[in-house]
Amino acid sequence: MNIVYYILIILGGIFYAVGGLGLLRMPDVYTRAQAGTKATTLGTMLTMIGAGVVHPEWLPKIILIILFIVLTNPVGSSTLIRSAYRSRVEASGRTAIDELGAYYDREVE
Amino acid sequence: MKNYFPTFVFCFLVWILVAGAGYPELILGVAVSLALAFFIARICGIRMSWKTPLSALLFIALYVPVFLLELVKANIDVLFRVLNPKLPINPGFVRIETGISDNFSKLILANSITLTPGTISVDADDDGGIYVHWINVTGDDAGSRSEKISGRFSRILKKVML
């Protein structure tokens, strides 16, 4: 049993660390949101489940917490990105295609 | 009116999970859940649109494993992209065709897309399109992109939702 939660928590930690690294390496706000907010989804799930393996009596609450993260995380990151785009935060030069500009009736170079 | 009862049940279940099932907690829980249901159901305009109540169970059985698998796959994909010294990304905003008009299914689909690393849904239009920021745009047209991002999700959703 020990091994299981060590593995879960270490894996979760790796996803967190790479999420942080992604924040530094990615070129613009949109790609940073991809790395920063998302790599942590699985990171949180794994660490929480790891904690649940250590203390089985916490499992119901942990499942509830994961459920809340799954429900609220996408709403938050989607809203952040949408407002960034609407307030004209520039996307990196590597952006290959932009079909969203046309939807907001905006000129796209 | 339809929303009051499901909202109340959900609030009450969450309450029991968090506060425990003691006698005073249950009474207070009913009061709090009633009050919350009264406010939330009024504000929340989206109705759950299962084909039958059993579809909700079918949804959990079919959708959750597919979603978790995609979540893990995409997480590992983004992990290697970040760790790769060349940073192989090709980001872009694309419109994908979902073929779904129902708001509740669209909400679930958009949230699933956002939770899957590498894609964030930004906005949705009224014709069943979702605008997605994709970290590695591949495919030449809307059809193949939609299939890659949301194909598996929307097929299940079409089965269980109205």
Side-chain angles (χ1 to χ4, degrees):
Chain A
M1 255 354 224
N2 274 354
I3 295 291
V4 176
Y5 71 72
Y6 281 136
I7 290 174
L8 283 172
I9 292 178
I10 288 172
L11 271 180
I14 290 174
F15 277 109
Y16 271 121
V18 172
L21 186 67
L23 275 184
L24 294 172
R25 295 204 63 200
M26 291 297 180
D28 64 359
V29 63
Y30 307 103
T31 42
R32 278 186 180 155
Q34 300 273 16
T37 65
K38 304 318 183 38
T40 56
T41 319
L42 197 60
T44 315
M45 284 185 185
L46 289 172
T47 354
M48 296 303 293
I49 295 169
V53 174
V54 188
H55 294 277
E57 69 273 18
W58 292 357
L59 262 181
K61 279 181 196 178
I62 280 172
I63 290 169
L64 197 68
I65 293 171
I66 290 178
L67 195 69
F68 277 132
I69 291 171
V70 167
L71 289 178
T72 54
N73 176 324
V75 180
S77 28
S78 177
T79 310
L80 277 174
I81 291 305
R82 184 167 180 268
S83 39
Y85 193 90
R86 289 184 68 112
S87 42
R88 296 167 189 267
V89 176
E90 274 199 30
S92 113
R94 295 177 71 170
T95 305
I97 178 170
D98 186 349
E99 294 177 345
L100 185 58
Y103 180 59
Y104 291 135
D105 291 325
R106 192 184 293 174
E107 281 182 28
V108 187
E109 301 98 85
Chain B
M1 285 304 277
K2 282 178 225 156
N3 273 343
Y4 286 103
F5 188 65
T7 316
F8 168 73
V9 172
F10 181 74
C11 291
F12 193 52
L13 283 178
V14 171
W15 179 277
I16 292 173
L17 270 172
V18 175
Y23 194 55
E25 281 94 349
L26 283 182
I27 294 174
L28 191 60
V30 171
V32 172
S33 309
L34 272 178
L36 278 176
F38 180 71
F39 287 111
I40 295 172
R42 253 204 237 174
I43 298 165
C44 177
I46 290 181
R47 302 228 183 291
M48 295 196 179
S49 46
W50 313 107
K51 267 183 189 155
T52 63
L54 272 180
S55 302
L57 293 176
L58 192 68
F59 169 78
I60 292 171
L62 287 177
Y63 195 80
V64 173
V66 171
F67 171 67
L68 285 179
L69 186 74
E70 290 291 315
L71 184 74
V72 172
K73 261 164 54 184
N75 255 299
I76 292 169
D77 178 69
V78 170
L79 183 103
F80 283 115
R81 272 179 211 291
V82 171
L83 290 178
N84 191 319
K86 286 193 197 118
L87 200 65
I89 57 170
N90 182 29
F93 297 90
V94 295
R95 179 184 190 276
I96 60 163
E97 192 60 55
T98 60
I100 287 173
S101 55
D102 164 55
N103 273 336
F104 183 58
S105 325
K106 243 199 225 168
L107 175 73
I108 293 181
L109 185 62
N111 276 0
S112 308
I113 290 172
T114 307
L115 268 175
T116 318
T119 49
I120 296 182
S121 39
V122 185
D123 213 330
D125 58 26
D126 294 330
D127 310 321
I130 294 181
Y131 292 86
V132 174
H133 180 263
W134 195 0
I135 204 166
N136 188 42
V137 178
T138 47
D140 300 325
D141 53 30
S144 60
R145 287 174 188 152
S146 312
E147 176 59 31
K148 264 185 197 138
I149 296 183
S150 68
R152 310 180 73 183
F153 296 147
S154 52
R155 269 196 293 278
I156 299 175
L157 282 173
K158 276 178 201 157
K159 254 184 242 165
V160 295
M161 301 287 185
L162 286 175

